[in-house]
């Protein structure tokens, strides 16, 4: 898919997956580059996460190193001294397992944080590439902005938003540590390979139930049943509301940046393009197929607002309901630059073309069609004014879910999503391309 930050989803079979070779970028001299060749699970990255005025260095040791019956008084002294220290220095060991994705911004690795006493925690590390920048000063300026955004996101702690753990440098290259999400992104899930895998590996009864209630074949690839799609969109709107309330726009909402966990809830990921919308973005990145019309009208000066994120999520909803990206399927097969003007014209007409883009059973639902229109409307006065409005106002996603399930039992959709994601372990094959 031609975008500024193409997503390369994780290949499905984790246990049998071969080590992914890392292609060395054309980095400027002096910049850190992850190891060439195979990045195996035995490759370790050691670094110091330290702050100024540091006084103590934490030691990683096994409990077997402490002699049996040794006097405890010395340890009590260490404990009290530790508590009296104003700051700490510690050594952290990270092992790089495999590449989760790579694009214009850099590379994301599945890693493992190793601590004392056998502690192990899977994490995701994003290495920000300097290749798009003209000089070191520009790279550091943009990274400084991104660090401020990451710090604010880290304080949100929302169930539907990726957790940011820390931000550090290695040989002057910026790295963001994030939670590792155990699940699949929507690009992976909306693939024909996934549906074929389900048919092959599930019992006929289970496969029939999943295709009746959760996912079935769409126009070009699988589509979700309306209740399932709206439940995912509701989770994403909750995440966007939390972001927008802290003054941040995501600015790159697309299927590859929305993950479904094994627990059944959705998470918005990849905050590398996010910025404070009251300030100008130091570096404008977007995916044209899912960018709001006001952004495409002027890619350099177009103003990105919270309503822009809502429009992008609306295009994702149309994909989920139809099993076809009206824009991507048209242009992604062409071996030529993305025609921004043509895409913009199609988006300006899309509110009128919706009945032809959606399956008949969906197009007959006037309330659902109107909800889609209010998500993507090019006129900002007709588009939902906020993510919260899209959830709670009459005709919003909450209203639609209550209409789909009598008795306000929307949690049944969450259970169906959880059952669906859980049945995909061990995992089906990875989709070959986003245009499948």
């Amino acid at each position: 898919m031609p975008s500024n930050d193409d997503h390369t989803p994780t290949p499905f079979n984790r246990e049998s997956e071969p080590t992914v070779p890392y292609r060395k970028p054309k980095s400027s001299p002096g910049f850190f580059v992850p190891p060439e060749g195979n990045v195996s699970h035995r490759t370790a990255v050691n670094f110091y996460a330290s702050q100024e005025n540091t006084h103590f260095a934490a030691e990683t040791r096994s409990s077997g190193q402490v002699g049996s019956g040794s006097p405890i008084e010395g340890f009590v002294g260490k404990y009290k001294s530790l508590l009296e220290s104003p700051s700490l220095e510690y050594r952290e060991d990270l092992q790089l397992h495999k590449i989760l994705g790579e694009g214009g911004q850099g590379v994301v690795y599945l890693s493992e944080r190793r601590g004392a006493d056998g502690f192990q925690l899977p994490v995701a590390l994003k290495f920000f590439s300097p290749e798009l920048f003209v000089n070191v000063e520009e790279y550091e300026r943009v990274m400084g902005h991104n660090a401020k955004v990451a710090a604010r996101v880290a304080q949100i702690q929302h169930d539907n938003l990726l957790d940011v753990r820390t931000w550090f440098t290695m040989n002057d290259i910026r790295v963001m540590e994030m939670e590792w999400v155990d699940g699949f992104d929507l690009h992976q899930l909306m693939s024909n390979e996934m549906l074929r895998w389900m048919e092959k590996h599930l019992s006929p009864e289970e496969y029939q139930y999943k295709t009746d209630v959760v996912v079935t074949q769409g126009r070009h690839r699988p589509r979700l049943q309306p209740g399932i799609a709206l439940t995912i969109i509701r989770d994403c709107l909750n995440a966007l509301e939390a972001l927008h309330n802290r003054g941040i726009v995501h600015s790159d909402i697309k299927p590859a940046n929305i993950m479904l966990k094994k627990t059944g809830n959705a998470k918005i990921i990849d905050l590398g393009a996010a910025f404070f919308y009251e300030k100008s973005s130091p570096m404008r990145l977007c995916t044209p197929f899912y960018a709001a019309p006001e952004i495409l009208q002027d890619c350099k000066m177009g103003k990105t607002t919270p309503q822009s994120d809502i429009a992008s999520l609306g295009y994702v909803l149309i994909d989920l309901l139809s099993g076809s990206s009206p824009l991507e399927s048209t242009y992604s097969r062409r071996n030529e630059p993305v025609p921004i003007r043509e895409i913009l014209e199609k988006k300006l007409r899309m509110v009128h073309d919706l009945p032809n883009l959606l399956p008949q059973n969906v197009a007959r639902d006037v309330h659902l069609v109107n909800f889609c229109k209010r998500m993507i409307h090019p006129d900002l006065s007709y588009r939902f004014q906020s993510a919260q409005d899209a959830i709670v106002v009459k005709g919003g996603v909450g209203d639609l879910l209550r209409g789909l399930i009598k008795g306000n039992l929307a949690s049944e959709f969450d259970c169906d999503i959880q059952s669906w994601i859980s049945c995909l372990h061990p995992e089906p094959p990875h989709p070959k391309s986003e245009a499948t």
Side-chain angles (χ1 to χ4, degrees):
M1 171 179 171
S3 73
N4 290 319
D5 192 11
D6 287 340
H7 176 84
T8 305
T10 307
F12 275 88
N13 194 339
R14 293 176 182 148
E15 295 184 358
S16 63
E17 180 191 11
T19 303
V20 181
Y22 181 78
R23 296 187 293 277
K24 182 178 180 181
K26 300 176 182 177
S27 300
S28 303
F31 279 120
F32 169 81
V33 179
E36 292 187 60
N38 290 341
V39 180
S40 72
H41 69 282
R42 297 184 182 278
T43 301
V45 176
N46 300 327
F47 66 94
Y48 282 95
S50 60
Q51 300 179 359
E52 294 182 1
N53 302 320
T54 298
H55 299 293
F56 290 93
E59 299 177 359
T60 300
R61 63 173 65 194
S62 65
S63 58
Q65 291 177 279
V66 181
S68 175
S70 300
I72 198 65
E73 288 78 7
F75 267 39
V76 173
K78 291 182 178 181
Y79 169 72
K80 291 181 178 180
S81 297
L82 192 66
L83 298 182
E84 293 171 357
S85 173
S87 58
L88 303 173
E89 178 183 290
Y90 64 94
R91 181 185 177 107
E92 188 174 43
D93 293 330
L94 293 170
Q95 287 196 337
L96 303 183
H97 285 291
K98 63 183 178 183
I99 293 177
L100 294 177
E102 54 186 320
Q105 285 191 322
V107 182
V108 178
Y109 276 98
L110 171 62
S111 307
E112 184 177 69
R113 179 195 289 175
R114 295 193 171 186
D117 304 315
F119 177 87
Q120 297 178 359
L121 178 69
V123 295
L125 294 180
K126 182 165 186 174
F127 294 83
F128 287 89
S129 170
E131 294 177 282
L132 295 178
F133 301 89
V134 296
N135 53 50
V136 173
E137 289 73 20
E138 184 187 13
Y139 176 79
E140 292 185 340
R141 180 177 63 87
V142 174
M143 291 300 104
H145 171 272
N146 288 357
K148 291 182 176 65
V149 173
R152 186 168 296 185
V153 171
Q155 299 174 47
I156 296 177
Q157 299 182 1
H158 194 281
D159 289 343
N160 302 122
L161 193 62
L162 186 74
D163 287 338
V164 175
R165 301 284 168 77
T166 189
W167 179 283
F168 59 92
T169 64
M170 294 186 68
N171 201 22
D172 295 328
I173 293 299
R174 272 55 172 188
V175 184
M176 181 166 61
E177 181 180 318
M178 307 161 288
E179 69 168 315
W180 171 68
V181 180
D182 188 11
F184 307 95
D185 66 57
L186 290 181
H187 166 60
Q188 292 173 291
L189 293 171
M190 297 293 96
S191 69
N192 291 315
E193 286 85 352
M194 181 276 302
L195 207 57
R196 286 194 289 267
W197 185 96
M198 287 175 54
E199 185 175 16
K200 179 179 179 180
H201 291 85
L202 302 184
S203 67
E205 295 78 15
E206 187 176 9
Y207 177 77
Q208 185 64 50
Y209 178 81
K210 293 291 189 294
T211 54
D212 286 343
V213 176
V214 180
V215 58
T216 190
Q217 184 61 50
R219 185 174 299 176
H220 297 124
R221 53 182 179 235
R223 65 179 177 88
L224 298 181
Q225 300 295 357
I228 301 297
L230 289 173
T231 299
I232 295 170
I233 296 301
R234 178 201 60 196
D235 283 355
C236 294
L237 286 169
N238 282 324
L240 289 179
E241 180 187 6
L243 270 181
H244 298 163
N245 286 343
R246 300 303 295 269
I248 299 171
V249 288
H250 186 282
S251 82
D252 196 23
I253 297 293
K254 57 185 177 182
N257 285 342
I258 300 172
M259 292 196 70
L260 298 187
K261 296 180 62 177
K262 289 169 64 177
T263 56
N265 67 313
K267 266 188 182 284
I268 289 180
I269 64 170
D270 197 351
L271 298 158
F275 64 93
F276 299 111
Y277 59 83
E278 293 296 340
K279 303 177 182 180
S280 60
S281 171
M283 187 176 185
R284 175 61 56 85
L285 294 172
C286 72
T287 301
F289 298 125
Y290 296 96
E294 61 269 20
I295 297 176
L296 296 183
Q297 285 173 338
D298 191 332
C299 292
K300 293 184 178 179
M301 301 300 295
K303 183 174 177 58
T304 303
T305 70
Q307 284 183 285
S308 305
D309 280 345
I310 294 172
S312 296
L313 188 59
Y315 298 132
V316 172
L317 173 59
I318 294 171
D319 284 8
L320 299 181
L321 292 172
S322 66
S324 173
S325 172
L327 301 170
E328 184 185 341
S329 60
T330 302
Y331 299 109
S332 60
R333 290 187 177 90
R334 297 182 182 179
N335 188 21
E336 59 186 37
V338 179
I340 300 296
R341 179 56 55 181
E342 290 182 34
I343 291 177
L344 174 59
E345 291 174 356
K346 285 181 176 292
K347 288 186 174 183
L348 295 176
R349 298 195 307 266
M350 192 173 292
V351 289
H352 306 292
D353 296 338
L354 269 180
N356 297 324
L357 300 176
L358 298 172
Q360 289 186 359
N361 67 314
V362 177
R364 286 195 296 265
D365 189 330
V366 177
H367 300 294
L368 181 52
V369 172
N370 286 338
F371 176 76
C372 293
K373 289 181 178 179
R374 293 198 63 187
M375 291 284 286
I376 67 169
H377 209 291
D379 187 336
L380 296 181
S381 64
Y382 287 99
R383 194 183 304 169
F384 285 114
Q385 298 301 297
S386 68
Q388 183 181 33
D389 282 349
I391 298 170
V392 302
V393 301
K394 184 176 177 58
V397 68
D399 207 15
L400 291 174
L401 285 171
R402 285 189 289 272
L404 287 171
I405 297 184
K406 295 181 180 180
N408 195 21
L409 300 177
S411 60
E412 290 186 5
F413 290 137
D414 295 306
C415 293
D416 288 328
I417 294 173
Q418 180 181 8
S419 174
W420 176 39
I421 301 302
S422 296
C423 84
L424 298 178
H425 293 261
E427 306 156 357
H430 162 290
K432 295 179 181 178
S433 72
E434 294 195 51
T436 300

